[in-house]
Amino acid sequence: MQSKISRRAVVKGGLIAGAFIPAIGLMANSAAAAGLPPLDPADPTAQALGYVADATKVDAKANATYKPNQKCSTCAQFLGKAGDASGGCNIFAGKSVVAGGWCKVWAQKPAA
Ligand code: SF4
């Protein structure tokens, strides 16, 4: 029986593991976000950052950086998948935000 493991096998195994570990992490994020309680717009941090559950209701005068096409689902901090009604947010850890919501931290999600 040959117990030697070739360098090629080790490299190949490492590449396969490297491809799956991030995918598992993404699945865990989505699964975790699904059970998160919704962020209350009355939460002090949410208020400080001007969070609203409906981006069309943003007070544009009070939020000069707001543009009509901005919403959580297009934000770099949004952890939900495309088409999700809500998802986690890197800024509001432990809470879910509405895909159509908005806050002052909004930044364009990079193209996939
Ligand atoms: S940081 Fe982005 S995803 Fe989070 S609440 Fe603000 S706009 Fe929405």
Coordinates of all heavy atoms in Angstrom, one line a residue:
M1 N 0.8 -1.2 0.0 CA 0.0 0.0 0.0 C 0.9 1.2 0.0 O 1.8 1.3 0.8 CB -0.9 0.0 1.2 CG -2.0 1.0 1.2 SD -3.2 0.5 2.4 CE -3.2 2.0 3.3
Q2 N 0.5 2.2 -0.8 CA 1.4 3.4 -0.9 C 0.7 4.5 -0.1 O -0.4 4.9 -0.3 CB 1.4 3.8 -2.4 CG 2.4 4.9 -2.6 CD 2.6 5.2 -4.1 OE1 1.9 4.6 -4.9 NE2 3.4 6.2 -4.4
S3 N 1.5 5.0 0.9 CA 0.9 6.0 1.8 C 1.5 7.4 1.5 O 1.1 8.3 2.1 CB 1.3 5.6 3.2 OG 2.6 5.6 3.4
K4 N 2.3 7.5 0.4 CA 2.9 8.8 0.1 C 1.8 9.6 -0.6 O 1.0 9.1 -1.5 CB 4.0 8.6 -0.9 CG 5.3 8.4 -0.3 CD 6.4 8.1 -1.3 CE 7.3 9.2 -1.5 NZ 8.4 8.9 -2.4
I5 N 1.7 10.8 -0.2 CA 0.7 11.7 -0.8 C 1.5 12.7 -1.7 O 2.4 13.3 -1.3 CB 0.0 12.5 0.2 CG1 -0.8 11.6 1.2 CG2 -1.0 13.6 -0.4 CD1 -1.4 12.3 2.4
S6 N 1.1 12.7 -3.0 CA 1.9 13.5 -3.9 C 1.6 15.0 -3.7 O 0.6 15.4 -3.1 CB 1.5 13.2 -5.4 OG 0.2 13.7 -5.7
R7 N 2.6 15.8 -4.0 CA 2.4 17.3 -3.9 C 1.3 17.7 -4.7 O 0.5 18.6 -4.3 CB 3.7 17.9 -4.4 CG 3.9 19.3 -3.8 CD 5.2 19.8 -4.0 NE 5.1 20.6 -5.3 CZ 6.1 21.2 -5.8 NH1 7.4 21.1 -5.4 NH2 6.0 21.9 -6.9
R8 N 1.1 17.1 -5.9 CA 0.0 17.5 -6.7 C -1.4 17.3 -6.1 O -2.3 18.1 -6.1 CB 0.0 16.7 -8.1 CG -1.1 17.0 -9.0 CD -1.0 16.3 -10.3 NE 0.2 16.9 -11.0 CZ 0.5 16.6 -12.2 NH1 -0.2 15.8 -12.9 NH2 1.6 17.1 -12.8
A9 N -1.5 16.1 -5.3 CA -2.7 15.8 -4.6 C -3.0 16.8 -3.5 O -4.1 17.3 -3.3 CB -2.7 14.4 -4.0
V10 N -1.9 17.2 -2.8 CA -2.1 18.2 -1.7 C -2.6 19.6 -2.3 O -3.5 20.2 -1.8 CB -0.8 18.4 -1.0 CG1 -0.8 19.5 0.0 CG2 -0.5 17.1 -0.2
V11 N -1.9 20.0 -3.4 CA -2.3 21.3 -4.0 C -3.7 21.2 -4.5 O -4.5 22.1 -4.3 CB -1.3 21.6 -5.2 CG1 -1.8 22.8 -6.0 CG2 0.1 21.9 -4.6
K12 N -4.1 20.1 -5.2 CA -5.4 20.0 -5.7 C -6.4 20.0 -4.6 O -7.5 20.7 -4.7 CB -5.5 18.6 -6.5 CG -6.7 18.5 -7.4 CD -6.5 17.3 -8.3 CE -7.7 16.9 -8.9 NZ -7.6 15.6 -9.6
G13 N -6.2 19.3 -3.5 CA -7.1 19.3 -2.4 C -7.2 20.6 -1.7 O -8.3 21.1 -1.4
G14 N -6.1 21.4 -1.7 CA -6.1 22.7 -1.1 C -7.0 23.6 -2.0 O -7.7 24.5 -1.4
L15 N -6.8 23.5 -3.3 CA -7.6 24.4 -4.2 C -9.1 24.1 -4.0 O -9.9 25.0 -4.0 CB -7.2 24.2 -5.6 CG -5.8 24.7 -6.0 CD1 -5.5 24.3 -7.4 CD2 -5.8 26.2 -5.8
I16 N -9.5 22.8 -3.9 CA -10.9 22.5 -3.8 C -11.4 23.0 -2.4 O -12.5 23.6 -2.4 CB -11.1 20.9 -3.9 CG1 -10.8 20.5 -5.3 CG2 -12.5 20.5 -3.5 CD1 -10.7 19.0 -5.5
A17 N -10.6 22.8 -1.4 CA -11.1 23.3 -0.1 C -11.2 24.8 -0.1 O -12.2 25.4 0.4 CB -10.1 22.9 1.0
G18 N -10.3 25.5 -0.8 CA -10.3 26.9 -0.8 C -11.5 27.4 -1.6 O -12.0 28.5 -1.3
A19 N -12.0 26.7 -2.5 CA -13.2 27.1 -3.3 C -14.4 26.9 -2.5 O -15.4 27.7 -2.6 CB -13.3 26.3 -4.6
F20 N -14.5 25.9 -1.6 CA -15.7 25.6 -0.9 C -15.9 26.4 0.4 O -17.0 26.7 0.8 CB -15.8 24.1 -0.6 CG -16.3 23.4 -1.8 CD1 -15.5 22.6 -2.6 CD2 -17.7 23.4 -2.1 CE1 -16.0 21.9 -3.7 CE2 -18.1 22.8 -3.2 CZ -17.3 22.0 -4.0
I21 N -14.8 26.7 1.1 CA -14.9 27.3 2.4 C -15.6 28.7 2.3 O -16.5 29.0 3.1 CB -13.5 27.4 3.1 CG1 -13.1 26.0 3.5 CG2 -13.5 28.4 4.3 CD1 -11.7 25.9 4.0
P22 N -15.2 29.6 1.3 CA -16.0 30.9 1.2 C -17.5 30.6 0.9 O -18.3 31.3 1.4 CB -15.3 31.6 0.1 CG -13.9 31.0 0.0 CD -14.1 29.5 0.4
A23 N -17.8 29.6 0.1 CA -19.2 29.4 -0.2 C -19.9 28.9 1.0 O -21.1 29.4 1.2 CB -19.2 28.2 -1.3
I24 N -19.3 28.2 1.8 CA -20.0 27.7 3.1 C -20.2 29.0 4.0 O -21.3 29.1 4.6 CB -19.1 26.7 3.8 CG1 -19.1 25.4 3.0 CG2 -19.6 26.5 5.3 CD1 -18.1 24.4 3.4
G25 N -19.2 29.9 4.0 CA -19.4 31.1 4.8 C -20.5 31.9 4.3 O -21.3 32.5 5.1
L26 N -20.7 32.1 3.0 CA -21.8 32.8 2.4 C -23.1 32.2 2.8 O -24.0 32.9 3.1 CB -21.6 32.9 0.9 CG -20.5 33.9 0.4 CD1 -20.4 33.7 -1.1 CD2 -20.8 35.3 0.8
M27 N -23.2 30.9 2.7 CA -24.4 30.2 3.0 C -24.8 30.4 4.5 O -25.9 30.7 4.9 CB -24.3 28.7 2.8 CG -24.4 28.4 1.3 SD -24.5 26.7 0.9 CE -22.8 26.2 1.2
A28 N -23.8 30.4 5.4 CA -24.0 30.6 6.8 C -24.5 32.0 7.0 O -25.4 32.3 7.8 CB -22.7 30.4 7.6
N29 N -23.9 33.0 6.3 CA -24.4 34.4 6.5 C -25.8 34.5 6.1 O -26.6 35.2 6.8 CB -23.6 35.3 5.6 CG -22.4 35.9 6.3 OD1 -22.2 35.8 7.5 ND2 -21.5 36.5 5.5
S30 N -26.2 34.0 5.0 CA -27.6 34.0 4.5 C -28.5 33.4 5.5 O -29.6 33.9 5.8 CB -27.8 33.4 3.1 OG -27.1 34.1 2.2
A31 N -28.1 32.2 5.9 CA -29.0 31.5 6.9 C -29.1 32.2 8.2 O -30.2 32.3 8.7 CB -28.4 30.1 7.1
A32 N -28.1 32.8 8.6 CA -28.1 33.6 9.9 C -29.0 34.8 9.7 O -29.8 35.1 10.6 CB -26.7 34.0 10.3
A33 N -28.9 35.5 8.5 CA -29.7 36.7 8.3 C -31.2 36.4 8.3 O -32.0 37.2 8.7 CB -29.3 37.4 7.0
A34 N -31.5 35.2 7.8 CA -32.9 34.8 7.7 C -33.6 34.9 9.0 O -34.8 35.2 9.1 CB -33.1 33.5 7.0
G35 N -32.9 34.6 10.1 CA -33.5 34.5 11.4 C -33.3 35.8 12.2 O -33.7 35.8 13.4
L36 N -32.8 36.8 11.6 CA -32.5 38.0 12.4 C -33.8 38.8 12.6 O -34.6 39.0 11.7 CB -31.5 38.9 11.6 CG -30.1 38.3 11.5 CD1 -29.2 39.2 10.6 CD2 -29.4 38.1 12.8
P37 N -33.9 39.5 13.8 CA -35.0 40.3 14.0 C -34.9 41.6 13.2 O -33.8 42.1 12.9 CB -35.0 40.7 15.5 CG -33.5 40.4 15.9 CD -33.0 39.4 14.9
P38 N -36.0 42.2 12.7 CA -35.9 43.4 11.9 C -35.3 44.6 12.7 O -35.7 44.7 13.9 CB -37.3 43.7 11.4 CG -38.2 42.9 12.3 CD -37.4 41.7 12.9
L39 N -34.6 45.4 12.1 CA -34.1 46.7 12.7 C -35.2 47.6 12.9 O -36.0 47.9 12.0 CB -33.0 47.3 11.8 CG -32.5 48.7 12.3 CD1 -31.7 48.5 13.6 CD2 -31.6 49.3 11.2
D40 N -35.4 48.1 14.1 CA -36.4 49.1 14.4 C -35.9 50.5 14.0 O -34.9 50.9 14.5 CB -36.7 49.0 15.9 CG -37.8 50.0 16.4 OD1 -38.3 50.8 15.5 OD2 -38.2 49.9 17.5
P41 N -36.6 51.2 13.1 CA -36.2 52.5 12.7 C -36.1 53.5 13.9 O -35.4 54.5 13.8 CB -37.3 53.0 11.7 CG -37.9 51.7 11.2 CD -37.8 50.7 12.4
A42 N -36.8 53.1 15.0 CA -36.7 54.0 16.2 C -35.5 53.7 17.1 O -35.2 54.4 18.0 CB -38.0 53.8 17.1
D43 N -34.7 52.6 16.7 CA -33.5 52.3 17.4 C -32.5 53.5 17.4 O -32.4 54.2 16.3 CB -32.8 51.1 16.7 CG -31.5 50.7 17.3 OD1 -30.5 51.4 16.9 OD2 -31.4 49.8 18.0
P44 N -31.9 53.9 18.5 CA -31.1 55.1 18.5 C -30.0 55.1 17.4 O -29.8 56.2 16.8 CB -30.4 55.1 19.9 CG -31.3 54.3 20.7 CD -32.0 53.3 19.8
T45 N -29.3 54.0 17.2 CA -28.3 54.0 16.1 C -29.0 54.1 14.7 O -28.4 54.8 13.9 CB -27.5 52.6 16.2 OG1 -27.0 52.4 17.5 CG2 -26.3 52.7 15.2
A46 N -30.1 53.5 14.6 CA -30.8 53.6 13.3 C -31.2 55.0 13.0 O -31.1 55.5 11.9 CB -32.1 52.7 13.3
Q47 N -31.7 55.7 14.1 CA -32.1 57.1 14.0 C -30.9 58.0 13.6 O -31.0 58.9 12.8 CB -32.8 57.6 15.2 CG -34.2 57.1 15.3 CD -35.0 57.8 16.3 OE1 -34.5 58.3 17.4 NE2 -36.3 58.0 16.0
A48 N -29.8 57.7 14.3 CA -28.6 58.5 14.1 C -28.1 58.4 12.7 O -27.6 59.3 12.1 CB -27.5 58.1 15.1
L49 N -28.3 57.2 12.1 CA -27.9 57.0 10.7 C -29.0 57.2 9.7 O -28.8 56.9 8.5 CB -27.3 55.6 10.5 CG -26.0 55.4 11.4 CD1 -25.5 53.9 11.2 CD2 -24.9 56.4 11.0
G50 N -30.1 57.7 10.2 CA -31.2 58.0 9.3 C -31.9 56.8 8.6 O -32.4 57.0 7.5
Y51 N -31.8 55.7 9.2 CA -32.4 54.5 8.6 C -33.9 54.6 8.5 O -34.6 55.0 9.4 CB -32.1 53.2 9.4 CG -32.8 52.0 8.9 CD1 -32.4 51.3 7.8 CD2 -33.9 51.5 9.6 CE1 -33.0 50.2 7.3 CE2 -34.6 50.4 9.1 CZ -34.1 49.7 8.0 OH -34.8 48.6 7.5
V52 N -34.4 54.2 7.3 CA -35.8 54.1 7.0 C -36.1 52.8 6.3 O -35.2 52.3 5.6 CB -36.4 55.3 6.1 CG1 -36.4 56.6 6.9 CG2 -35.6 55.4 4.8
A53 N -37.2 52.2 6.6 CA -37.5 50.9 6.0 C -38.0 51.0 4.5 O -38.0 50.0 3.8 CB -38.6 50.1 6.8
D54 N -38.3 52.2 4.1 CA -38.8 52.5 2.8 C -38.0 53.7 2.2 O -38.2 54.8 2.6 CB -40.3 52.8 2.8 CG -40.8 53.1 1.4 OD1 -40.0 53.1 0.4 OD2 -42.1 53.2 1.3
A55 N -37.0 53.4 1.3 CA -36.1 54.4 0.8 C -36.9 55.6 0.1 O -36.4 56.7 0.0 CB -35.1 53.8 -0.1
T56 N -38.1 55.3 -0.4 CA -38.8 56.4 -1.1 C -39.3 57.4 -0.1 O -39.7 58.5 -0.4 CB -40.0 55.8 -1.8 OG1 -41.0 55.3 -0.9 CG2 -39.6 54.8 -2.8
K57 N -39.2 57.1 1.2 CA -39.6 58.1 2.3 C -38.5 58.8 2.9 O -38.6 59.5 3.9 CB -40.4 57.3 3.3 CG -41.6 56.6 2.8 CD -42.8 56.7 3.7 CE -44.1 56.3 3.1 NZ -44.2 55.1 2.3
V58 N -37.3 58.7 2.3 CA -36.1 59.4 2.9 C -36.4 60.9 2.7 O -36.8 61.4 1.7 CB -34.8 59.1 2.1 CG1 -33.7 59.9 2.5 CG2 -34.5 57.6 2.3
D59 N -36.0 61.7 3.8 CA -36.2 63.1 3.7 C -34.9 63.7 3.0 O -33.8 63.8 3.5 CB -36.2 63.7 5.2 CG -36.3 65.2 5.2 OD1 -36.2 65.8 4.2 OD2 -36.5 65.7 6.3
A60 N -35.1 63.9 1.7 CA -34.0 64.3 0.9 C -33.3 65.6 1.3 O -32.1 65.8 1.1 CB -34.4 64.5 -0.6
K61 N -34.1 66.5 2.0 CA -33.5 67.8 2.5 C -32.6 67.5 3.6 O -31.5 68.2 3.7 CB -34.6 68.7 2.9 CG -35.4 69.4 1.7 CD -36.4 70.3 2.3 CE -37.3 70.8 1.1 NZ -38.6 71.4 1.5
A62 N -32.9 66.6 4.5 CA -32.1 66.3 5.6 C -31.0 65.3 5.3 O -30.0 65.2 6.0 CB -33.0 65.7 6.7
N63 N -31.1 64.7 4.1 CA -30.0 63.7 3.7 C -29.6 64.1 2.3 O -30.0 63.4 1.3 CB -30.6 62.3 3.7 CG -31.0 61.9 5.1 OD1 -30.2 61.6 6.0 ND2 -32.3 61.9 5.4
A64 N -28.7 65.0 2.2 CA -28.3 65.6 0.9 C -27.6 64.5 0.0 O -27.6 64.7 -1.2 CB -27.3 66.8 1.1
T65 N -27.0 63.5 0.6 CA -26.3 62.5 -0.2 C -27.3 61.5 -0.8 O -26.9 60.7 -1.7 CB -25.3 61.7 0.7 OG1 -26.0 61.0 1.8 CG2 -24.2 62.6 1.3
Y66 N -28.5 61.5 -0.3 CA -29.5 60.5 -0.9 C -29.8 60.7 -2.3 O -30.1 61.8 -2.8 CB -30.8 60.5 0.0 CG -31.9 59.6 -0.6 CD1 -31.8 58.2 -0.6 CD2 -32.9 60.2 -1.3 CE1 -32.8 57.4 -1.1 CE2 -33.9 59.4 -1.9 CZ -33.8 58.0 -1.8 OH -34.8 57.2 -2.4
K67 N -29.8 59.6 -3.1 CA -30.2 59.6 -4.5 C -31.4 58.6 -4.6 O -31.3 57.5 -4.0 CB -29.1 59.2 -5.4 CG -27.9 60.1 -5.3 CD -28.1 61.4 -6.1 CE -26.8 62.3 -6.1 NZ -26.5 62.9 -4.8
P68 N -32.4 58.9 -5.4 CA -33.5 58.0 -5.5 C -33.3 56.5 -5.8 O -34.1 55.7 -5.5 CB -34.4 58.6 -6.7 CG -33.9 60.1 -6.6 CD -32.5 60.1 -6.3
N69 N -32.2 56.2 -6.5 CA -31.9 54.8 -6.8 C -31.2 54.0 -5.7 O -30.9 52.8 -5.8 CB -31.1 54.6 -8.1 CG -29.7 55.3 -8.0 OD1 -29.5 56.1 -7.1 ND2 -28.8 54.9 -8.8
Q70 N -30.9 54.7 -4.6 CA -30.2 54.0 -3.5 C -31.2 53.3 -2.5 O -32.2 53.8 -2.2 CB -29.5 55.1 -2.6 CG -28.4 55.8 -3.4 CD -27.7 56.9 -2.7 OE1 -28.2 57.3 -1.6 NE2 -26.7 57.5 -3.2
K71 N -30.8 52.1 -2.2 CA -31.6 51.3 -1.2 C -30.7 50.2 -0.7 O -29.6 49.9 -1.3 CB -32.9 50.7 -1.9 CG -32.6 49.9 -3.1 CD -33.9 49.5 -3.8 CE -33.6 48.9 -5.2 NZ -34.8 48.6 -6.0
C72 N -31.1 49.6 0.4 CA -30.3 48.6 1.0 C -29.8 47.5 0.1 O -28.7 47.0 0.2 CB -31.0 48.0 2.2 SG -31.2 49.1 3.6
S73 N -30.7 47.0 -0.8 CA -30.3 45.9 -1.7 C -29.2 46.2 -2.6 O -28.5 45.3 -3.1 CB -31.5 45.4 -2.4 OG -32.0 46.4 -3.3
T74 N -28.9 47.5 -2.8 CA -27.8 47.8 -3.7 C -26.6 48.4 -2.9 O -25.7 48.9 -3.5 CB -28.2 48.9 -4.7 OG1 -28.7 50.1 -4.0 CG2 -29.3 48.4 -5.6
C75 N -26.6 48.2 -1.6 CA -25.6 48.7 -0.7 C -24.5 47.7 -0.5 O -24.8 46.5 -0.3 CB -26.2 49.2 0.6 SG -25.0 49.7 1.8
A76 N -23.3 48.1 -0.4 CA -22.2 47.2 -0.2 C -22.3 46.5 1.2 O -21.7 45.5 1.4 CB -20.9 48.0 -0.3
Q77 N -23.0 47.1 2.1 CA -23.1 46.6 3.5 C -24.2 45.5 3.6 O -24.3 44.8 4.6 CB -23.4 47.7 4.5 CG -22.4 48.8 4.5 CD -20.9 48.3 4.8 OE1 -20.7 47.3 5.4 NE2 -20.0 49.1 4.3
F78 N -25.1 45.4 2.6 CA -26.2 44.5 2.7 C -25.7 43.1 2.5 O -25.0 42.7 1.6 CB -27.2 44.8 1.5 CG -28.5 44.1 1.6 CD1 -29.4 44.3 2.7 CD2 -28.9 43.2 0.6 CE1 -30.6 43.6 2.7 CE2 -30.1 42.6 0.6 CZ -30.9 42.7 1.7
L79 N -26.2 42.2 3.4 CA -25.7 40.8 3.4 C -26.8 39.8 2.8 O -26.5 38.6 2.6 CB -25.4 40.3 4.8 CG -24.3 41.1 5.5 CD1 -24.2 40.7 7.0 CD2 -23.0 41.0 4.8
G80 N -27.9 40.3 2.4 CA -28.9 39.5 1.7 C -28.5 39.2 0.3 O -27.6 39.8 -0.3
K81 N -29.2 38.2 -0.3 CA -29.0 37.9 -1.7 C -29.9 38.7 -2.6 O -30.9 39.3 -2.1 CB -29.3 36.4 -1.9 CG -28.5 35.4 -1.1 CD -28.7 34.0 -1.5 CE -30.1 33.5 -1.4 NZ -30.7 33.2 -0.1
A82 N -29.6 38.8 -3.9 CA -30.5 39.5 -4.8 C -31.9 38.9 -4.7 O -32.1 37.6 -4.7 CB -30.0 39.3 -6.2
G83 N -32.9 39.7 -4.6 CA -34.3 39.2 -4.5 C -34.8 39.0 -3.1 O -36.0 38.8 -2.9
D84 N -33.9 39.0 -2.1 CA -34.4 38.8 -0.7 C -35.1 40.1 -0.3 O -34.8 41.2 -0.7 CB -33.2 38.7 0.2 CG -32.6 37.3 0.2 OD1 -33.1 36.4 -0.5 OD2 -31.5 37.1 0.8
A85 N -36.2 39.9 0.5 CA -37.0 41.1 0.9 C -36.3 41.8 2.0 O -36.5 43.0 2.2 CB -38.4 40.6 1.4
S86 N -35.4 41.1 2.7 CA -34.6 41.7 3.8 C -33.3 40.9 4.0 O -33.2 39.8 3.4 CB -35.4 41.8 5.1 OG -35.7 40.5 5.6
G87 N -32.4 41.4 4.7 CA -31.2 40.7 5.0 C -30.4 41.4 6.0 O -30.7 42.5 6.5
G88 N -29.3 40.8 6.4 CA -28.4 41.4 7.4 C -27.7 42.6 6.9 O -27.7 42.8 5.7
C89 N -27.1 43.3 7.8 CA -26.3 44.5 7.4 C -25.1 44.6 8.2 O -25.2 44.4 9.5 CB -27.2 45.8 7.6 SG -26.3 47.3 7.5
N90 N -23.9 44.9 7.6 CA -22.7 44.9 8.4 C -22.7 46.1 9.4 O -22.0 46.0 10.4 CB -21.5 45.2 7.4 CG -21.2 43.9 6.6 OD1 -21.2 42.8 7.1 ND2 -20.8 44.1 5.4
I91 N -23.5 47.1 9.2 CA -23.6 48.2 10.1 C -24.4 47.9 11.3 O -24.1 48.3 12.5 CB -24.1 49.5 9.4 CG1 -23.2 49.8 8.2 CG2 -24.1 50.7 10.4 CD1 -21.7 50.0 8.5
F92 N -25.6 47.2 11.1 CA -26.5 46.9 12.2 C -26.4 45.4 12.5 O -27.3 44.6 12.1 CB -27.9 47.3 11.8 CG -28.0 48.8 11.5 CD1 -28.1 49.3 10.2 CD2 -28.1 49.7 12.5 CE1 -28.3 50.6 9.9 CE2 -28.2 51.1 12.3 CZ -28.3 51.5 11.0
A93 N -25.3 45.0 13.1 CA -25.1 43.6 13.4 C -26.2 43.0 14.2 O -26.7 43.7 15.2 CB -23.8 43.4 14.1
G94 N -26.7 41.8 13.9 CA -27.7 41.1 14.7 C -29.1 41.5 14.3 O -30.1 41.0 14.9
K95 N -29.3 42.4 13.3 CA -30.6 42.8 12.9 C -30.7 42.7 11.3 O -29.7 42.6 10.6 CB -30.8 44.3 13.2 CG -30.7 44.7 14.6 CD -31.8 44.2 15.4 CE -31.7 44.6 16.9 NZ -32.8 44.2 17.7
S96 N -31.9 42.6 10.8 CA -32.1 42.6 9.4 C -32.7 43.9 9.0 O -33.4 44.6 9.7 CB -33.0 41.4 9.0 OG -34.3 41.7 9.4
V97 N -32.3 44.3 7.8 CA -32.8 45.6 7.2 C -33.7 45.2 6.0 O -33.4 44.2 5.3 CB -31.7 46.5 6.9 CG1 -30.9 47.0 8.1 CG2 -30.7 45.9 5.8
V98 N -34.6 46.1 5.7 CA -35.5 45.9 4.5 C -34.7 46.2 3.2 O -33.9 47.1 3.2 CB -36.7 46.8 4.6 CG1 -37.6 46.6 3.4 CG2 -37.5 46.5 5.9
A99 N -34.8 45.3 2.2 CA -34.1 45.5 1.0 C -34.4 46.8 0.4 O -33.5 47.4 -0.3 CB -34.5 44.4 0.0
G100 N -35.6 47.4 0.6 CA -35.9 48.7 0.0 C -35.7 49.8 1.0 O -36.1 50.9 0.8
G101 N -34.9 49.5 2.1 CA -34.6 50.6 3.1 C -33.4 51.4 2.7 O -32.9 51.2 1.6
W102 N -33.0 52.2 3.6 CA -31.8 53.1 3.3 C -31.3 53.7 4.6 O -32.1 53.9 5.6 CB -32.3 54.3 2.4 CG -31.1 55.2 2.0 CD1 -30.3 55.0 0.9 CD2 -30.7 56.4 2.6 NE1 -29.4 56.1 0.8 CE2 -29.7 56.9 1.9 CE3 -31.2 57.1 3.7 CZ2 -29.0 58.1 2.2 CZ3 -30.5 58.3 4.0 CH2 -29.5 58.8 3.3
C103 N -30.0 54.0 4.6 CA -29.4 54.8 5.7 C -28.3 55.6 5.2 O -27.9 55.4 4.0 CB -29.0 54.0 6.9 SG -27.4 53.3 6.8
K104 N -27.7 56.5 6.0 CA -26.7 57.5 5.5 C -25.4 56.8 5.2 O -24.5 57.4 4.5 CB -26.4 58.5 6.6 CG -27.6 59.4 6.9 CD -27.3 60.4 8.0 CE -28.5 61.3 8.3 NZ -28.2 62.2 9.4
V105 N -25.2 55.5 5.6 CA -24.0 54.8 5.3 C -24.0 54.2 3.9 O -23.0 53.6 3.4 CB -23.7 53.7 6.4 CG1 -22.4 53.0 6.2 CG2 -23.7 54.4 7.8
W106 N -25.1 54.3 3.2 CA -25.2 53.6 1.9 C -24.0 53.9 1.0 O -23.5 55.0 0.9 CB -26.5 54.1 1.1 CG -26.7 53.4 -0.2 CD1 -27.5 52.2 -0.3 CD2 -26.2 53.7 -1.4 NE1 -27.4 51.8 -1.6 CE2 -26.6 52.7 -2.4 CE3 -25.3 54.7 -1.9 CZ2 -26.3 52.7 -3.7 CZ3 -24.9 54.6 -3.3 CH2 -25.4 53.7 -4.1
A107 N -23.5 52.8 0.4 CA -22.4 52.9 -0.6 C -22.7 51.8 -1.6 O -23.1 50.7 -1.3 CB -21.1 52.6 0.1
Q108 N -22.4 52.2 -2.9 CA -22.7 51.3 -4.0 C -22.1 49.9 -3.8 O -20.9 49.8 -3.6 CB -22.3 51.9 -5.3 CG -22.5 51.0 -6.5 CD -24.0 50.9 -6.8 OE1 -24.8 51.9 -6.9 NE2 -24.5 49.7 -6.9
K109 N -22.9 48.9 -3.9 CA -22.4 47.5 -3.9 C -21.5 47.3 -5.2 O -22.0 47.7 -6.3 CB -23.5 46.5 -3.9 CG -23.2 45.0 -3.8 CD -24.4 44.2 -3.9 CE -25.2 44.2 -2.7 NZ -25.6 43.0 -2.0
P110 N -20.3 46.7 -5.1 CA -19.6 46.5 -6.3 C -20.3 45.5 -7.2 O -21.0 44.6 -6.8 CB -18.2 45.9 -5.8 CG -18.3 46.0 -4.3 CD -19.7 46.3 -3.9
A111 N -20.1 45.7 -8.5 CA -20.7 44.8 -9.5 C -20.1 43.4 -9.3 O -19.0 43.2 -9.0 CB -20.4 45.2 -10.9
A112 N -21.0 42.4 -9.3 CA -20.6 41.0 -9.1 C -19.8 40.4 -10.2 O -19.8 40.8 -11.3 CB -21.9 40.1 -8.9
Ligands
SF4_1 S1 -25.6 50.3 5.6 FE1 -26.5 49.9 3.6 S2 -27.6 47.9 3.9 FE2 -27.2 48.8 5.9 S3 -29.0 49.9 6.5 FE3 -27.6 51.4 5.6 S4 -28.1 51.4 3.4 FE4 -29.1 49.6 4.3

